[in-house]
Amino acid sequence: LKLYRRLDDTINPDLEINRYLSQHTNFEYIPAFRGFLSFEKDKRTELALALLQEKVHHQGRAWAYAQDAFVRFLEDVETRGQDELLPSLEGSIFDPASHDELPEVLGDFMGSSFPERLIQLGEITAELHQALLGNGSQEAFAPEAFSLHYQRSVFSSFQGLTRRSLDLLKKRLGALPEPLQAFSRGLSEYRQDILNFFKRIYDHKIDTLKIRNHGDYHLEQVLWTGKDFIIRNFEGEAMRPHSERRLKRSGLRDVAGMMRSLAYVAQVAMQQQLPPDVYEPDPQQLQWSRAWVHYSCRLFLHGYLARVQSPGLVPASESDRRMLLEIFMMEKALYELLHELENRPEMAPLPIQGIRYLLRVSAG
């Protein structure tokens, strides 16, 4: 039984989506819906108070599962002394790759099980989005086409997020430890580069659909049962009002969120191994980490794109697909920066590294 602490005049998307998936689709990878408590303020307003779901027996969150896999990967690299065999990063992180396409040495260290699970998670994510396309029974789940007007409004929201994130960083900079100040200080210089990065969203009309989606999709939101992944917590991002969390968006926003989460797993694991006030890992270890993230994201993307069936769920144009993934990953990194500065300022280097990486990738 989940009790909601934050009430809103707009229906809670967690209750709305769980109820819809359970009652109107065949999607199985969520805790089964069993009931809810609400207060009917008037005929038009229903305040969600609690959600009842079937208990899922699991082995832990996918975050812990992925982090364990990454730590074992680094331990194998160190133990077996394969530094001279560092794999090259073939292709783009935004291009799918099957297990057979992994460099031999990387596939050896990653093993077969974890790559297969990443593909499986991508497939389940695609099935979620297929279910959320709607079946015509409810307007709240009917897909909508992108338009230039919508794309410009998305850019406006990105402008606001960029301003809030970088302004907060500037405001909090003096309170951070000196090594962290030095690491973070230069990010403000990239403000215009970030805005130019986002401007591509309205360069031309993108032929794709907006749908209801998870809204805050990352490894902590997924349970690992030992066989399957179970997706939970459809509330959306906590810093947004319920009305904004219910907006329809590209399903690739969820995909980008999971790809950022895979990068975060590696960053957090390496940061935890460093001495206090040190924010740069060993260069050799960093290269292996980047290879793990690069191919983990490509494996996840392979599973997702292989299972997507409905036209429009993903842009037919590969360049548009890549552009949206880049933009949504940047949005997530800026949101992470806000969250870390408010709650864990010592972790701010992690989203900063992500922002810089995305700017480099976009520049070619």
Side-chain angles (χ1 to χ4, degrees):
L1 180 67
K2 181 192 297 186
L3 301 176
Y4 296 120
R5 293 175 295 174
R6 183 174 180 178
L7 305 184
D8 195 299
D9 282 351
T10 303
I11 187 170
N12 190 310
D14 190 38
L15 167 58
E16 182 183 27
I17 293 176
N18 273 291
R19 184 167 54 185
Y20 177 81
L21 289 173
S22 292
Q23 297 180 349
H24 298 277
T25 78
N26 295 320
F27 186 71
E28 300 177 349
Y29 301 100
I30 57 171
F33 176 82
R34 290 291 179 255
F36 66 99
L37 284 173
S38 67
F39 173 71
E40 293 187 2
K41 184 177 177 182
D42 52 49
K43 291 184 178 180
R44 294 185 176 182
T45 307
E46 180 184 40
L47 303 181
L49 304 179
L51 171 66
L52 183 66
Q53 294 174 289
E54 185 175 307
K55 182 176 177 64
V56 174
H57 296 282
H58 59 90
Q59 297 182 3
R61 297 175 186 178
W63 171 273
Y65 175 67
Q67 192 170 60
D68 287 346
F70 175 74
V71 170
R72 288 196 305 271
F73 168 79
L74 284 187
E75 289 174 348
D76 281 351
V77 169
E78 183 175 350
T79 301
R80 294 159 65 177
Q82 300 290 332
D83 291 350
E84 71 280 3
L85 298 176
L86 182 69
S88 60
L89 302 186
E90 301 291 341
S92 165
I93 195 173
F94 302 104
D95 293 331
S98 67
H99 188 269
D100 293 338
E101 294 175 88
L102 292 178
E104 183 177 354
V105 63
L106 191 71
D108 187 27
F109 286 137
M110 290 184 75
S112 60
S113 177
F114 186 65
E116 289 171 0
R117 296 309 177 210
L118 288 169
I119 292 172
Q120 180 184 6
L121 180 59
E123 292 171 346
I124 290 173
T125 305
E127 291 181 25
L128 169 67
H129 290 161
Q130 292 283 158
L132 290 173
L133 268 174
N135 53 19
S137 63
Q138 294 191 26
E139 183 179 349
F141 289 87
E144 299 173 5
F146 268 43
S147 67
L148 279 174
H149 175 74
Y150 167 72
Q151 291 165 220
R152 284 184 176 274
S153 71
V154 171
F155 173 70
S156 295
S157 71
F158 291 159
Q159 279 183 303
L161 177 62
T162 303
R163 182 184 65 253
R164 293 195 306 276
S165 300
L166 298 187
D167 287 353
L168 183 60
L169 178 62
K170 183 177 180 180
K171 180 180 178 181
R172 298 285 173 86
L173 200 60
L176 300 176
E178 182 55 40
L180 184 50
Q181 288 187 39
F183 186 90
S184 306
R185 189 173 288 117
L187 186 62
S188 296
E189 301 173 4
Y190 294 107
R191 183 185 297 256
Q192 191 56 50
D193 291 333
I194 294 171
L195 292 177
N196 290 338
F197 184 97
F198 281 138
K199 281 181 180 178
R200 297 176 295 162
I201 190 68
Y202 66 81
D203 178 65
H204 63 279
K205 184 181 179 300
I206 302 169
D207 187 17
T208 191
L209 296 173
K210 298 181 290 177
I211 63 169
R212 297 295 297 274
N213 51 43
H214 187 282
D216 188 24
Y217 197 48
H218 52 80
L219 290 164
E220 285 281 3
Q221 307 286 37
V222 180
L223 302 177
W224 168 239
T225 69
K227 185 178 72 171
D228 292 318
F229 292 102
I230 302 297
I231 302 172
R232 64 195 189 107
N233 295 343
F234 288 85
E235 294 100 327
E237 293 169 338
M239 296 169 65
R240 303 178 188 270
H242 286 173
S243 57
E244 189 173 340
R245 300 184 208 179
R246 295 181 68 238
L247 293 176
K248 295 167 186 173
R249 308 173 191 270
S250 169
L252 290 180
R253 190 169 180 267
D254 281 348
V255 175
M258 187 57 70
M259 292 170 68
R260 272 298 301 156
S261 191
L262 288 166
Y264 231 65
V265 159
Q267 289 179 295
V268 169
M270 288 194 298
Q271 187 69 41
Q272 290 172 345
Q273 298 177 16
L274 295 176
D277 299 332
V278 176
Y279 300 100
E280 290 284 2
D282 173 76
Q284 195 76 24
Q285 189 182 65
L286 182 60
Q287 285 182 288
W288 277 104
S289 168
R290 286 173 174 167
W292 186 91
V293 172
H294 180 86
Y295 285 102
S296 291
C297 288
R298 294 184 66 189
L299 289 163
F300 169 74
L301 193 57
H302 173 78
Y304 181 81
L305 294 175
R307 191 59 61 93
V308 166
Q309 298 175 350
S310 300
L313 193 54
V314 173
S317 164
E318 289 188 14
S319 61
D320 283 348
R321 184 192 74 210
R322 172 172 174 159
M323 182 263 289
L324 287 180
L325 284 172
E326 288 182 1
I327 283 175
F328 292 138
M329 283 186 76
M330 179 67 81
E331 178 194 22
K332 190 67 175 179
L334 287 166
Y335 185 88
E336 291 163 356
L337 180 58
L338 269 179
H339 180 270
E340 300 296 22
L341 288 170
E342 291 282 8
N343 299 282
R344 304 182 300 180
E346 72 280 2
M347 303 297 280
L350 306 190
I352 290 174
Q353 289 171 354
I355 292 167
R356 288 172 172 165
Y357 166 79
L358 288 165
L359 289 174
R360 289 197 304 270
V361 167
S362 177

